[in-house]
Amino acid sequence: MGKVDFLAVALYHKYRPATFAEVRGQEHVTRPLSVALDSGNIGHAYLFSGPRGCGKTSSARILARSLNCEKGPTSTPCGECDSCRALAPGGHGNLDVTELDAASHGSVDDMRELRESAVFAPSESRYRIFIIDEAHMITQQGANALLKIVEEPPEHLVFIFATTEPEKIIGTIRSRVQHYPFRLLTPPVMRGLLQDVCAGEGVEVEDSVFTPVIRAGGGSPRDTLSILDQLLAGVPAGEALTYELAAPLLGVTDSTLLDSAVRVIATHDAPGAFSLVGQVIDRGIDPKRFTSDLLDRFRDLMVLQAVPDALTSGLVDAPAALHPELSGEVALFSGQKLPQLTSLVNTGLEGMRGTLAPRILLEVLMARLLSAGTPGAAAIPDASVPMEAPQAEVSEAGKKYMRRSQRTQPQQAPATAASAQATPPTQTMPPTQTTAAPAPATPATVTTPPTRTTAPTRTTAPTVTTAPTAAPQPEPQPAPEPQPEKETPGTGTSTSVGVDAETVRGKWADILNHISRERKNTTARILLRGAKILDVRDGTLYLGILTGAIVNRLNDAKHNADIAAAVKAETGAGLGVVCVLGEKIPAAPETAPVETAAAPAPEPQEEPAPEPATPADTADAPVPRWKQMMNDLKNKEAEPPQHQPEPPLPPLPHFEPADVPPPPEPDIPLPPEPTEEELEEEMVRAATEDPGTHDHRTPKDLAMDLLQSELGAKPM
């Protein structure tokens, strides 16, 4: 048989720390734990949290090794006893130390099994230790099953929880453990770790390789050692790991390409910038990765410009061979240009997420970088940043902001005034009666009398009242056919009071406060909580309510008066207040369209109310039909009723012996159906009767009154 070659041990396994002193970059955790171990202050449960690959599980094993050492508990295990050798990196383990992965064993049954086995004493060690990795994966039921033993464990039991998301562990467990947060390693600490590992492996590595390896690892020792392990595996025996060999494997952008990008941007070299984009694509470099590396370069330059000794103090992690190049590139920029360029690159990198054309976005980014800081060049707007809204326009009076729909009304006012001058003045009729005027030579517009509330007039020309002194009027011209004017919703159609719906909306909070504070009407204030301001029309403020009962309450005299007083106090306008159900204002009855004719006929006059007639008038004036019917009905009631004889009852049947059926029942004729005249007489009789004390409420109102009086219910 041939020789069997075993797999090589991974670097993160081979160089796993065995004591707290070997743990890198976690001194804020290892120092208090070492003090607690040396002083004998041992807790019954610990929680190690932090990003992946930062040493949580390794520290948990070190803690278990330190607790069960024969010379312990101690922060420095001896490494010679059976427990230390079994729990050392690469050891075979110990029966008294159980490591459980909650990602696959986090159910309630697994936790119950753990709880049942945890009560047994250790077989050969001082403590029975359970290391539960990925503890946030324990289910809610499993955590509840484990809670009791974590709260009151036996003296020989210690729990160590490790997790990347401590906030997902239930609070009842998290409040009973000692929490130690781990963190990622800084670039200087990580560089020292990599140099020690390379020295232990006997491999020569260029200093420029460490920077991209550290950035690719993201501060995680395990991820960084895995990347270094991959790079060292591809190095021929006896050769060094160079930057040219590591850069393609890491996928990073060549530093010479980044230097060229910085210089063409600094010198505003547009041909060189776009040819550089072509080189990025030709070399197979991902545009997103190039943009990310360019962002890191501008970040280093920005920090170096602000802190001249950033290279030596560790604020900028760069190989020594790159220090002169960075110092020369910083000198190409002045003022706030570097922060501006860094922000533009960051915005461009965010816009490349999920794009299907990264090259075009990279070229757009280059165009923005070239135009940034150029004298007299307008910057290209960024598509990812929303455009600013136009500044609010102020009306001519300079009082408040006016919407576009409101700004159109003043523009229409001059045209309306001009049309009023061109048309003849209309005649104003008395409010009580409309008289028929003789037909003029040309048609004229006649204004309907304001005898009732009507909808807004459809004529564009305002009504002009003629002066008392007659003056020679020019020959009137035919007025153009009026066009219906569109009404803008939400704004008042009548401006006679000087207040519109927008003004009331702006003062609505003050109106509500005035109702509750000044008017002492807290009930109205609460009922108006869901009210919506609909419109201001003809001196009336319309409020929309979604509940009919609240509409009735608010339209009550007391509440309505308090609301109107508050509106007048805050807006200065005496508006009437009407609450309607829903958001639709009931339309007012429209007036009949005005017709122009040669001789308009007089409107029919309404009949006056009937007056009590005197004996003299009764003899001459004709009696109305309805009155005659009432008189006839009274005469009929005065006559004694005439009862018709009832038909004789049929004789009683004579029952024979059993099994003889009775005779059939006689057919009694039904009363005849009342005629229309009889129904009309019945209605007239009901109208003349005294209503008395009859209850005229509807069934719904009767039920509501019973609920309020008997059960104390209140309408919603």
Side-chain angles (χ1 to χ4, degrees), residues 654-687:
H654 177 69
F655 291 97
E656 298 294 337
D659 300 335
V660 177
E665 297 181 359
D667 294 335
I668 300 177
L670 297 176
E673 293 291 337
T675 63
E676 294 184 0
E677 296 180 356
E678 294 177 351
L679 292 176
E680 187 175 359
E681 292 177 359
E682 180 66 24
M683 294 175 61
V684 173
R685 184 188 305 110

Side-chain angles (χ1 to χ4, degrees), residues 28 48 69 152 289 299 317 320 436 481 514 564 569 580 613 653 687 696:
H28 64 288
F48 294 165
C69 179
E152 298 177 359
R289 183 56 190 265
R299 178 264 172 191
D317 183 24
E481 181 180 357
H514 186 92
V580 298
H696 297 280

